[in-house]
Amino acid sequence: MSSWDAVGMAKAAPGADRLLEVVAVLLLGVATVGSAWCGYEASRWNGEQGDLTRQASDLDVESARLSGIATQRVAYDASVLSDYAQAVAGQQVELAGFYRTSLVRPDFLPLLEEWEAQVEAGQVPTNLFEDEEYLQEQFAESRAVQAESEAVTERSRSAGRSADAYVLTTIFFAIGLFFAGVTSTVRSRTLRTVLLMGSSLTVAVALGRVADLPFI
């Protein structure tokens, strides 16, 4: 090797080392900011999951309350209908009129009239507990709230999955941060290059994940 070649390599070496240092600094910066961002987003999504879980729980309680009221309403209608039928069968006109005007719920009157029409036509009235249209109407509000609760629960699960995804992405950034950080303690240019390539790969994967994740 000539003296000129030696001088050229000596000048090139510091330049290559400087380039590796710049790349390491850039990766450290990106990985640090990315880790902080992912930690922030994971915290926000965990909070969102907690809020949605509480909302779903409140909706479940409300659905149960409405279901209880609907059950009581059905039981009341069935009891009044039974007493009214007995009064009609016993030809107790005044008692039947009292049941109809004072005890039968206004919303139940159309069904009672339909029931009476079926009896007059010689048909067997539909059992109140088997009347799907009637039952659907009584429990409609409770079922609507329950459906809303299930939708909120699914949103809560989705928020939890987003939080977990951000935590995993933070790990990728941490790995990239580690690889870029240890290069300052390594003298071998080849090993430093390999470490920086590993850091670049993991940081790139982390950035790709962040681009696909929702954010609050």
Side-chain angles (χ1 to χ4, degrees):
M1 180 183 297
S2 67
S3 59
W4 289 106
D5 291 337
V7 171
M9 292 181 61
K11 290 181 178 180
D17 290 338
R18 180 60 178 170
L19 178 61
L20 292 177
E21 290 174 1
V22 171
V23 173
V25 169
L26 290 175
L27 289 172
L28 286 170
V30 173
T32 300
V33 173
S35 296
W37 171 256
C38 288
Y40 169 77
E41 282 293 321
S43 177
R44 291 291 301 275
W45 280 111
N46 279 325
E48 179 75 1
Q49 181 184 21
D51 292 341
L52 290 172
T53 299
R54 286 188 291 272
Q55 183 180 346
S57 177
D58 292 341
L59 289 171
D60 284 337
V61 172
E62 178 64 10
S63 176
R65 185 185 73 82
L66 293 173
S67 179
I69 293 175
T71 300
Q72 293 175 6
R73 192 160 52 234
V74 171
Y76 176 81
D77 289 343
S79 176
V80 171
L81 180 60
S82 176
D83 292 340
Y84 177 76
Q86 290 180 9
V88 171
Q91 298 182 348
Q92 298 173 296
V93 179
E94 293 184 1
L95 181 59
F98 170 76
Y99 280 128
R100 187 182 184 89
T101 58
S102 301
L103 297 181
V104 174
R105 294 187 306 107
D107 292 342
F108 188 70
L109 276 175
L111 185 62
L112 178 61
E113 293 172 352
E114 181 182 343
W115 184 81
E116 290 175 328
Q118 290 175 337
V119 172
E120 292 177 359
Q123 301 174 355
V124 178
T126 304
N127 188 303
L128 193 63
F129 297 104
E130 296 178 355
D131 192 328
E132 289 297 326
E133 183 178 352
Y134 165 77
L135 294 176
Q136 286 282 355
E137 181 181 350
Q138 303 312 309
F139 289 92
E141 191 175 3
S142 171
R143 290 170 179 171
V145 174
Q146 183 60 38
E148 184 180 358
S149 172
E150 292 173 358
V152 172
T153 298
E154 179 55 35
R155 287 168 54 198
S156 174
R157 292 171 181 165
S158 178
R161 290 192 292 268
S162 295
D164 292 342
Y166 271 108
V167 170
L168 180 59
T169 305
T170 302
I171 295 175
F172 279 104
F173 276 123
I175 294 173
L177 192 64
F178 171 77
F179 285 157
V182 297
T183 56
S184 60
T185 63
V186 177
R187 292 186 178 183
S188 171
R189 187 179 299 119
T190 301
L191 183 55
R192 290 170 66 187
T193 302
V194 171
L195 289 171
L196 289 176
M197 289 177 62
S199 176
S200 299
L201 178 60
T202 53
V203 169
V205 170
L207 289 173
R209 289 178 59 85
V210 169
D212 289 337
L213 291 174
F215 61 89
I216 298 180

